[in-house]
Amino acid sequence: MFAGPIKPLLLALMTVLCARHSQAGNLAPSKLRCEHLETALAVESPHPILAWGLVANTSGQFQTAYQIRVASSRDKAAHDRFDLWDSGKVSDSRITQVAYTGKPVKPAQSVFWQVRVWDSANVPSEWSPLAHWKSAPNLSADGDAQWISASVPRPLHQDRQTLHLPPALQFRKTFEIANTIRRATLYLSALGDAAPSLNGKPASEQYFLPGWSDYRHRAYYRALDVTPHLQPGPNTLGITLADGWYSGYVGYGLLLGYGPHKGGRYLYGKDPAVLAQLVVEFENGNRKTVATDSTWRWNDEGPVREADLLMGEHFDARNARAWDTPSFDDSTWKKAVPAGTVPSVTAPFHDTTGQRTVDLGFKKPDTLQSYPSPPVRVVETLQPKHITEPSKGVYLFDFGTNFAGNVQLKVRGDRGQKIVLRYGEMLHPDGSLMTENLRKARATDTYICSGAPEGETWTPRFTYHGFQFVEVSGLRSKPSLDLLSGLVLQSDTPITAAFECSDPVINQLFRNIQRTQRSNFIDIPTDCPQRDERLGWLGDAQIYIRSATYHAEVFAFFTKWLSDLREAQRSTGAYPDYAPYPMAHGESGKPFSSGWMDAGVICPHTLWKVYGSTDVIDRQWPSMKRFMEFRESLSPDFKGVSVGNPWGDWLNQQDATPIEWIDAAYFAHSAQLMAEMAEATGRTDDAAHYRGVFEKVRTEFIRAVIGRDGTVSGASQTACVLALDFGLHPKGGASVIADQLVKLIEKNDFRMSTGFLGTRSLLPVLSKNGRHDIALRLFQSRQFPSWCYPVVNGATSVWERWDSFTKQAGFGRHNASMNSLSHYAFGAVSEWMFRDLAGINLAEPGFKKIRLVPAPPPKQPTSEVTATESPSAPPLNFVKASYDSPVGTIVSEWKREMDTLTFRFVVPPNVDADLLLPASDSNHVTVVKGGAALLKPNEGTPHYRLVPGEHVLRVDEKPTDPKQ
Ligand code: BGC
């Protein structure tokens, strides 16, 4: 083909390329992570978990070995002196869950590591670039950081009728830097919400530091790299301290009269406190520590006049000073005091446990814990779409989508001009802001202009709102769109999912679910971001967690919440309704509920399955065991019980399921998951025990619930769903219950009637039991109640109720006080979209092996449009899904054109995939690309093995001519 001088040239080039390839191998490590984070600056574990991704330049590549090396400094690494660890070549295909087992790492030590991998042909890659982690400091022993507070304690606000919104405190300290800095790390904890600044500039882009915990026992601290913020000579570290979850308004405390004096605030204590330690490492090897103590000065006359998570912020720019710069004169500021010296005060605390006296004074948290989750920060900026003027001088900015976060205000105003921002999720029919569903959350920010002639810019720092609309008043003239931009806040869990199909309403539904997850993964998984609730409800978390894992990398985020959950566990062993748990709600003395408390078992189980981490099991195990002991003590005869809060199948459509059945179903399910986790971690006796418990509860469930004909007696849709989902039926009895479920759906005019618990598994059990057609019909249904119903009624997020708002009835169907427009629970259908419709599933924990089972609608013999699709929806003739799994990106796509179904898959390097194709037999399948290997020919559903790389397969659906 090639002739003349080109040929030798080409050959030479190919030789060079091949040489480079063979030298570097066909696999390269990428995206190194430590403890599931890209930046881990306070790693507590002596054996942190390391992981990396793989990039392949040919298909079919597997990692046959790896080598990790670790140095105690960048210099040493640069000189090939890996003094902490050299794993040597380890013949192992693992790329996640690799524990560091090198020399012990000293506290607050920087560690530099890299990895290389061997490909299928046993050729090593180049070494990866260096990655970095830092071990946790020994904060109590190392340095003299003290908890400090303002020296003038605040009065205890006792009047429930008026809001109490004290100004934020400012703490400052000036210090000298005389040497060349190598690195500076600020360790910061607070009983409150702290924002650090250095030399007049914010020292971190993170919000709500240090994070929510039960502060009386445990507080998080953050490790912040502040190297770029320091300068030679004098420096000033400032900390603005607001009430946060510690002493500000939390949840529905004010609404329901919980907390000290029934006021809904001071749930953990009265006076915020802060603890900080700045460690500066110099090039000459010396260190300098600047720590909070009583040499710090404080003031409460700064610009932040109000700062409350629920109520909003008030910022008076006239008070802004360069207070956190060295030249500022703080001689009139007061001296900070050790927090323990602030006189304590007691108050009657009210909640459904009953009234008791609590001490609201400082209590040093028993534990300081490094924040294990990605921080909350701005992850996206949105521009408003349009402005209306519903009444004279009042402007409404519409961001076009419901989200959680803040705005940035850019204004040129007169000195003292007051601009008020109110937030809402929707408008009333007259175009005014709808705020009734916020209940007691005032959600109002106020900005007082300094009058700077060049204009001024501000964003609230100590609050967030759930909203689509912002009402602005106090402007002197009609604003333009650039007055505001929307700042989307979220615990920065990297997004891992993409989904598109031929039904635009479903595409919007997917975006809504994605958006609603963002809005509610803010430090903890909250139920909603807008009203006075924002609590980490367990039921919502357990039904949604599997969907969440498709949407984003949530391991570290949920690890944080599981700590909060363990801490919230009651002395009886029960997991309460939400975590953190600062106030008891519901049934007095029994603050738990079936299906909600089981999150304590379901969530670790899901994290283990998806991310392959058995550590998460080990960490939760003692707590889960206590919980199961509690569950077993509730039901010594293995029967379901009705005790605790009766949320049941919450928000079902007049189709309630007896609580005892729900309880038994979840008791059995928890026992089964415990058995699986016990097995995975070598707890053989426990495995046998929980398998026994499962069998006993299952037997009792069948006795109580399943009739002679194998159906669920007096069934609700949810009862059938739970029986199928958790295997609570006689052997071989699933099809009877599946038929029964389909009949119930048909009788209900093809509508679901399930609540939180049933909805999550409704489509999965239908698809699993041969009724994928019905699952698809419900999925695409536009009629009430359905996933698409809110979308066709204008939703840009997932609503608490299917009919939270309707075009015909507005908000009329529900009391707006219990009507969140950003509630992820019903978004739990993503799990089915990815796992059952696109067919991306795990075959082994951590996706080490994957299972591809794509499931297009069954082909109808006579028409292109399948008869089972929802009548008003377009045919579902293609789906494209991609998922950045823990082991790499998995793609599954299918497309139906006339009589042909085409499938495309991408399998990440190092992963084995099983593919089950929906075709009657392999004779109708053509392998177009990628060399899928057929396993078990002539045995029904074609079953292939796919190696890493791209694969295309075509299924011929042409009906065979009966006459032939
Ligand atoms: C929350 C729910 C939660 C429920 C308990 C509500 O107020 O918003 O999502 O699970 O209470 O039934």
Side-chain angles (χ1 to χ4, degrees):
M1 204 184 201
F2 295 106
I6 297 181
K7 196 174 175 186
L9 208 74
L10 201 77
L11 277 178
L13 186 70
M14 278 172 68
T15 321
V16 171
L17 284 176
C18 290
R20 190 177 299 153
H21 270 164
S22 62
Q23 196 189 17
N26 285 312
L27 274 183
S30 68
K31 268 181 46 185
L32 276 59
R33 277 154 292 146
C34 175
E35 291 287 282
H36 298 264
L37 297 170
E38 272 170 44
T39 315
L41 294 180
V43 172
E44 285 177 339
S45 166
H47 304 293
I49 298 297
L50 306 178
W52 55 91
L54 290 174
V55 179
N57 56 13
T58 60
S59 56
Q61 284 297 325
F62 289 84
Q63 173 185 296
T64 51
Y66 67 80
Q67 182 177 7
I68 295 172
R69 53 188 194 178
V70 186
S72 60
S73 77
R74 204 179 276 283
D75 276 3
K76 284 185 185 149
H79 291 94
D80 264 2
R81 282 175 40 223
F82 289 87
D83 54 335
L84 290 177
W85 192 37
D86 185 339
S87 69
K89 182 177 174 184
V90 182
S91 297
D92 190 340
S93 62
R94 261 183 315 162
I95 62 169
T96 60
Q97 304 300 323
V98 179
Y100 168 82
T101 53
K103 288 193 190 143
V105 176
K106 286 191 243 122
Q109 182 178 341
S110 283
V111 173
F112 298 85
W113 71 288
Q114 59 184 180
V115 61
R116 64 173 169 166
V117 298
W118 278 258
D119 67 8
S120 291
N122 204 18
V123 180
S125 67
E126 306 279 9
W127 284 102
S128 71
L130 282 182
H132 168 233
W133 89 78
K134 204 168 168 186
S135 59
N138 191 345
L139 275 184
S140 41
D142 176 25
D144 320 302
Q146 292 177 17
W147 285 99
I148 57 169
S149 271
S151 50
V152 182
R154 294 166 168 183
L156 180 71
H157 182 77
Q158 299 186 20
D159 174 16
R160 208 181 141 198
Q161 305 313 319
T162 54
L163 285 183
H164 177 59
L165 298 166
L169 303 166
Q170 295 170 311
F171 292 85
R172 75 187 297 279
K173 171 82 186 175
T174 294
F175 55 94
E176 203 63 33
I177 294 288
N179 284 305
T180 313
I181 299 168
R182 175 182 295 165
R183 196 178 302 110
T185 311
L186 174 62
Y187 301 103
L188 178 64
S189 184
L191 305 179
D193 176 0
S197 50
L198 268 162
N199 301 322
K201 297 222 169 68
S204 170
E205 83 295 1
Q206 304 182 8
Y207 278 68
F208 314 135
L209 287 79
W212 192 356
S213 60
D214 183 346
Y215 301 97
R216 298 196 77 77
H217 300 290
R218 186 176 57 98
Y220 291 105
Y221 69 89
R222 301 286 175 100
L224 307 168
D225 181 356
V226 295
T227 317
H229 299 282
L230 293 180
Q231 60 198 21
N235 287 262
T236 299
L237 171 59
I239 295 168
T240 306
L241 182 62
D243 293 335
W245 292 285
Y246 178 75
S247 53
Y249 289 97
V250 172
Y252 38 47
L254 179 62
L255 181 78
L256 300 178
Y258 296 159
H261 294 287
K262 303 189 174 182
R265 53 176 299 136
Y266 310 127
L267 296 189
Y268 297 96
K270 183 166 73 65
D271 294 289
V274 64
L275 175 137
Q277 184 171 305
L278 173 67
V279 179
V280 187
E281 297 164 60
F282 298 108
E283 286 295 357
N284 64 10
N286 291 346
R287 282 154 69 103
K288 180 185 177 88
T289 299
V290 179
T292 41
D293 59 21
S294 37
T295 65
W296 285 53
R297 300 264 175 163
W298 76 276
N299 184 291
D300 64 358
E301 288 160 12
V304 184
R305 307 312 305 153
E306 295 176 359
D308 189 85
L309 280 163
L310 296 178
M311 304 306 171
E313 200 163 317
H314 178 126
F315 191 94
D316 190 338
R318 293 171 303 182
N319 292 9
R321 305 271 180 281
W323 65 279
D324 45 3
T325 60
S327 54
F328 181 78
D329 175 11
D330 65 8
S331 54
T332 60
W333 284 36
K334 296 172 265 301
K335 275 190 173 171
V337 292
T341 64
V342 177
S344 71
V345 61
T346 57
F349 190 107
H350 301 258
D351 63 8
T352 56
T353 307
Q355 187 187 322
R356 56 208 180 267
T357 301
V358 293
D359 186 340
L360 296 176
F362 171 77
K363 176 182 177 293
K364 187 174 165 191
D366 305 327
T367 318
L368 275 183
Q369 188 189 338
S370 160
Y371 192 70
S373 174
V376 177
R377 57 179 155 225
V378 176
V379 293
E380 192 185 353
T381 302
L382 302 174
Q383 300 313 321
K385 303 280 181 234
H386 33 250
I387 307 173
T388 52
E389 191 178 356
S391 57
K392 187 129 189 58
V394 175
Y395 300 96
L396 266 171
F397 283 68
D398 178 0
F399 280 90
T401 186
N402 188 311
F403 70 102
N406 281 313
V407 291
Q408 185 185 64
L409 169 73
K410 263 193 195 162
V411 66
R412 185 172 297 145
D414 300 332
R415 188 168 176 80
Q417 185 181 334
K418 180 176 170 184
I419 296 171
V420 178
L421 309 170
R422 294 171 65 232
Y423 299 81
E425 296 185 291
M426 272 214 175
L427 302 181
H428 283 299
D430 67 358
S432 62
L433 195 68
M434 196 282 281
T435 56
E436 286 81 346
N437 70 337
L438 306 183
R439 300 193 309 214
K440 293 281 184 194
R442 187 189 65 175
T444 302
D445 296 328
T446 303
Y447 183 75
I448 311 287
C449 298
S450 70
E454 68 282 10
E456 40 205 299
T457 301
W458 172 70
T459 183
R461 200 69 187 69
F462 303 99
T463 191
Y464 75 95
H465 314 289
F467 64 103
Q468 173 172 338
F469 296 91
V470 186
E471 182 201 86
V472 186
S473 54
L475 298 172
R476 301 270 151 87
S477 58
K478 198 173 162 60
S480 57
L481 284 170
D482 58 7
L483 182 88
L484 298 183
S485 39
L487 306 179
V488 180
L489 286 177
Q490 187 203 9
S491 287
D492 195 0
T493 48
I495 288 193
T496 50
F499 184 95
E500 198 198 337
C501 70
S502 52
D503 184 344
V505 174
I506 295 291
N507 293 338
Q508 183 63 42
L509 169 70
F510 175 74
R511 286 193 288 275
N512 293 0
I513 298 172
Q514 191 95 286
R515 175 65 71 196
T516 307
Q517 176 164 327
R518 279 212 143 152
S519 301
N520 281 293
F521 281 25
I522 294 184
D523 190 70
I524 58 162
T526 60
D527 56 339
C528 53
Q530 72 299 86
R531 69 177 176 227
D532 57 348
E533 194 148 350
R534 312 184 193 187
L535 297 171
W537 281 93
L538 270 67
D540 308 40
Q542 70 90 349
I543 58 181
Y544 187 72
I545 186 170
R546 185 68 181 90
S547 290
T549 62
Y550 276 114
H551 283 280
E553 218 288 32
V554 294
F555 183 88
F557 173 77
F558 269 104
T559 307
K560 185 263 175 195
W561 184 66
L562 285 179
S563 296
D564 304 334
L565 181 55
R566 289 196 292 275
E567 189 167 59
Q569 190 169 16
R570 306 286 89 191
S571 55
T572 56
Y575 290 117
D577 280 330
Y578 42 88
Y581 196 66
M583 54 192 160
H585 176 64
E587 183 86 351
S588 169
K590 294 175 184 144
F592 53 83
S593 48
S594 308
W596 266 248
M597 57 181 167
D598 301 279
V601 172
I602 296 168
C603 293
H605 181 272
T606 306
L607 295 179
W608 159 56
K609 280 279 182 175
V610 173
Y611 298 100
S613 161
T614 48
D615 275 8
V616 72
I617 301 177
D618 292 337
R619 228 172 293 149
Q620 189 88 357
W621 190 258
S623 158
M624 291 191 289
K625 263 193 96 155
R626 280 205 293 133
F627 166 66
M628 288 306 286
E629 278 156 21
F630 162 74
R631 251 204 167 293
E632 287 165 60
S633 74
L634 276 185
S635 318
D637 50 5
F638 304 100
K639 293 191 171 94
V641 292
S642 173
V643 62
N645 290 315
W647 314 136
D649 188 27
W650 182 245
L651 301 190
N652 68 78
Q653 301 296 324
Q654 283 93 46
D655 188 19
T657 305
I659 302 279
E660 293 83 348
W661 295 9
I662 289 175
D663 183 68
Y666 271 94
F667 184 15
H669 186 50
S670 284
Q672 187 165 40
L673 301 186
M674 288 295 282
E676 285 179 23
M677 289 189 279
E679 241 153 59
T681 52
R683 296 175 162 96
T684 322
D685 291 350
D686 285 331
H689 172 73
Y690 290 118
R691 233 176 283 121
V693 173
F694 171 74
E695 280 308 331
K696 286 179 194 138
V697 183
R698 181 173 160 271
T699 307
E700 284 305 325
F701 183 91
I702 293 171
R703 206 193 314 259
V705 175
I706 311 282
R708 280 228 189 99
D709 60 355
T711 61
V712 177
S713 9
S716 61
Q717 289 186 16
T718 288
C720 296
V721 169
L722 295 181
L724 288 169
D725 196 25
F726 301 158
L728 304 176
H729 46 73
K731 270 213 162 51
S735 60
V736 179
I737 300 174
D739 287 347
Q740 183 187 11
L741 174 60
V742 170
K743 280 196 194 107
L744 289 173
I745 294 168
E746 278 169 4
K747 231 173 69 195
N748 202 31
D749 188 22
F750 284 98
R751 294 165 201 260
M752 56 173 149
S753 56
T754 46
F756 269 29
L757 302 179
T759 301
R760 180 231 161 169
S761 299
L762 176 62
L763 302 193
V765 301
L766 286 168
S767 293
K768 190 171 166 210
N769 290 284
R771 296 315 304 266
H772 192 53
D773 55 340
I774 302 293
L776 281 159
R777 180 168 181 157
L778 294 179
F779 179 53
Q780 282 192 282
S781 168
R782 271 53 167 166
Q783 58 177 354
F784 172 83
S786 69
W787 287 276
C788 292
Y789 186 75
V791 181
V792 295
N793 278 284
T796 57
S797 46
V798 179
W799 294 343
E800 183 168 21
R801 299 163 185 272
W802 304 114
D803 53 352
S804 282
F805 171 87
T806 64
K807 285 181 179 159
Q808 294 95 336
F811 307 103
R813 290 199 191 167
H814 296 288
N815 175 353
S817 69
M818 195 65 185
N819 195 20
S820 149
L821 301 177
S822 183
H823 229 78
Y824 61 67
F826 282 141
V829 70
S830 303
E831 170 183 350
W832 175 86
M833 289 164 70
F834 278 86
R835 190 190 53 208
D836 299 296
L837 184 60
I840 299 175
N841 199 7
L842 51 88
E844 280 177 17
F847 281 83
K848 180 71 199 77
K849 197 166 184 314
I850 61 178
R851 211 174 131 80
L852 297 166
V853 199
K859 174 89 162 96
Q860 297 302 306
T862 49
S863 148
E864 236 189 276
V865 178
T866 61
T868 47
E869 276 161 354
S870 180
S872 54
L876 207 56
N877 50 27
F878 81 84
V879 157
K880 291 178 176 188
S882 104
Y883 167 49
D884 298 337
S885 79
V887 293
T889 302
I890 304 168
V891 175
S892 171
E893 300 175 358
W894 50 257
K895 182 167 69 174
R896 173 173 277 133
E897 287 162 311
M898 305 298 286
D899 291 325
T900 306
L901 259 175
T902 309
F903 295 87
R904 178 176 173 269
F905 306 101
V906 177
V907 177
N910 203 36
V911 174
D912 253 327
D914 264 343
L915 166 66
L916 288 167
L917 266 194
S920 50
D921 61 68
S922 58
N923 296 328
H924 292 89
V925 181
T926 312
V927 176
V928 180
K929 186 173 182 187
L934 182 65
L935 308 170
K936 306 184 200 151
N938 311 322
E939 276 189 30
T941 307
H943 184 172
Y944 295 88
R945 178 176 177 242
L946 307 187
V947 295
E950 188 189 3
H951 299 264
V952 178
L953 295 96
R954 215 166 37 221
V955 175
D956 180 3
E957 295 190 307
K958 226 176 274 129
T960 36
D961 186 345
K963 283 185 228 129
Q964 278 179 4

